[in-house]
Amino acid sequence: MKLSTIQNVEVFFLEYPFPKNLNYQYSGGLVENMIIGLIRITDSEGEYGLGEVTHAQFTHQPIIGLVEHFKNILVGLEIGQINHAWEKMYASSVFWNREGLGIGVMGGINIAMYDLLGKRLKLPVYQLLGGLNKEKIKIYASNGLFTSSDDLIKDAKKAYSMGFRIYKMRVVTPETIIDLVKEFKKEFSNKMELIVDAVQGSTANPWATKVSINLAKQLEEYKILFFEEPCRVENLQGYKEIKKSTNLNIAGAESIPTARAFKPYLESEVFDIVQFDIATSGFTEGRRIADLAYVHNKPVALHSWGSAISIMAGIHFGLTIPNSAFTEYCFMDHPLNDLLFENNKIKIQEGYIEKPKTYGLGVKFDEKIIEQFPYKEKINTMISTSAVSYTHLRAHETPE
């Protein structure tokens, strides 16, 4: 069967500024906007597929250049040659793209190619990835960017009412997190499980390792599902010290994009749960990471801190691998997902999402959305570190 060929590869940026009353915060600053870097691949017969670049939340112009670079390599390639496309992109950039932004753009393109092929063949993406390994997967609501327990509980209650049974919260400061966890546990008891994300993997000024060690000790009594990215991703020694000091499950690391980059962490046994970003690694490299985790007997918790496109990518992929434990649903309050989900929304029942009944990923794109949510050029697109400073936290331990 002769398939159509790639005619165009484009990137579109969408922005939704959060209302000031939401006041989303985490240990690295304020989250002021929802930014989506949407990849669209169009074939020679006019069909399109969608992907997403997670890094678009933090940068803009470099992504445009990278998309143009990879587009020139891919135009004319048959849409089913997805693995070949990955290797062509990597070979063209190997001297400067072993990790980082280039891989992230490749991941978005990779996902868009699978979405396009699924639509063209009238198959769901999970079928293209080898078929189902399970009929449903656990999915958690991911937000918790709050300083007040009232706001935290209100958001978690909303998630519970929508069918979620796991909630992820971020640390704003080590001094305040324990009281927030206490309030959450008091409200939900065993009805809803909790994940705590320190967000130190991508924080400009991470805490001293001892801060995370002490915080982990304090969190142990609350039986959280896992403690995510408690130190800077490059700090392998810090991960070793934290892992040795606690019985909490340690998860990481969303900013590690390739199996080769994950290898020393798995060999050092610092992760109980392997957590890579599905939009960054894409399905091709994501499978290599998942297989490596499988060899090391580690479960995978898929990271998808993005739009409906990333969410659906995590669902499809998670259903196809034997060691998937959870996938993520970015639960920040914005209207973009309703315009990107093929059926406006997805249905979660008792913490699980069932296999999608769609061709491709189950997402759509109308260019009118660009006029509704135009992107405004800025240096740092999603977060602001100027309004909040937590650098003093690096120098001392959290209270016992």
Side-chain angles (χ1 to χ4, degrees), residues 2 44 67 86 88 90 112 124 180-181 185 190 270 277 313 398:
K2 187 166 176 59
S44 51
V67 169
W86 182 270
K88 278 175 70 75
Y90 190 68
L180 292 171
V181 169
K185 288 292 185 177
N190 296 322
V270 297
D277 184 78
T398 52

Side-chain angles (χ1 to χ4, degrees), residues 5 44 60 99 103 152 235 259 298 309:
T5 57
S44 51
H60 176 235
E99 296 180 39
I103 294 288
L152 174 68
N235 186 4
K298 302 298 181 188
I309 299 166

Side-chain angles (χ1 to χ4, degrees), residues 26-29 171-177 198 200 203 205-212 214-215 388-399:
Y26 77 111
S27 55
V171 177
V172 179
T173 73
E175 290 89 349
T176 58
I177 185 65
Q200 293 304 287
T203 298
N205 297 300
W207 314 322
T209 301
K210 191 123 185 220
V211 174
S212 289
N214 287 336
L215 184 53
V388 182
S389 175
Y390 302 127
T391 54
H392 67 284
L393 297 172
R394 292 175 292 149
H396 66 78
E397 299 174 19
T398 52

Side-chain angles (χ1 to χ4, degrees), residues 160-230:
Y160 187 87
S161 72
M162 291 173 63
F164 293 98
R165 296 297 178 262
I166 305 171
Y167 185 86
K168 181 159 87 178
M169 64 183 295
R170 271 75 185 173
V171 177
V172 179
T173 73
E175 290 89 349
T176 58
I177 185 65
I178 298 301
D179 285 341
L180 292 171
V181 169
K182 270 185 196 171
E183 290 300 314
F184 183 96
K185 288 292 185 177
K186 181 179 171 185
E187 177 69 34
F188 291 100
S189 186
N190 296 322
K191 286 176 18 181
M192 204 172 198
E193 295 188 89
L194 183 64
I195 297 163
V196 175
D197 185 356
V199 208
Q200 293 304 287
S202 55
T203 298
N205 297 300
W207 314 322
T209 301
K210 191 123 185 220
V211 174
S212 289
I213 288 172
N214 287 336
L215 184 53
K217 286 176 181 173
Q218 294 176 75
L219 285 168
E220 283 177 1
E221 69 175 282
Y222 299 101
K223 295 180 170 52
I224 63 173
L225 272 180
F226 58 80
F227 190 29
E228 182 177 334
E229 292 209 315

Side-chain angles (χ1 to χ4, degrees), residues 14 36 38 50 52 307-309 334-344 362-366 369:
L14 308 173
I36 298 170
L38 184 152
L50 299 177
E52 182 169 0
S307 75
I309 299 166
H334 66 85
L336 294 166
N337 281 348
D338 288 345
L339 300 169
L340 293 171
F341 280 127
E342 188 175 279
N343 300 316
N344 300 112
V363 290
K364 63 184 179 182
F365 177 62
D366 185 330
I369 194 174

